[in-house]
Amino acid sequence: EHTVEKVYWAAVTGHVAPPAGVLEDSLLKDERTNVVRVAPESSPAAQACRLSYRKLQTAGGVTLVEIRPETG
């Protein structure tokens, strides 16, 4: 069985706290502009999204973070 898992690395300014966690929000895509934004949960077209992250390293005011989308 073959599976694909999305994993992203991001360099962000500053320190990440806590060093690992889960983020959840609702997103709404504007089809006309092809832009996705955070939306209220009550928005009928909003989709729930979830990701986990963990800090890999911090140096010189920049933090390397591993991000794993759990939805979408």
Side-chain angles (χ1 to χ4, degrees), residues 40-61:
E41 288 182 37
S42 59
S43 179
Q47 295 184 332
C49 67
R50 179 182 170 107
L51 63 81
S52 60
Y53 72 90
R54 70 183 179 106
K55 179 174 73 171
L56 299 176
Q57 184 176 7
T58 300

Side-chain angles (χ1 to χ4, degrees), residues 26-46:
S26 296
L27 299 180
L28 184 60
K29 182 175 183 178
D30 183 333
E31 296 293 340
R32 188 176 49 83
T33 60
N34 200 33
V35 173
V36 178
R37 299 185 192 276
V38 174
E41 288 182 37
S42 59
S43 179

Side-chain angles (χ1 to χ4, degrees), residues 2 4-5 7-8 11 13 15 17-19 24 38 45 52 57 60 70:
H2 299 280
V4 175
E5 182 179 0
V7 178
Y8 300 92
T13 303
H15 297 277
E24 297 177 301
V38 174
S52 60
Q57 184 176 7
E70 297 179 14

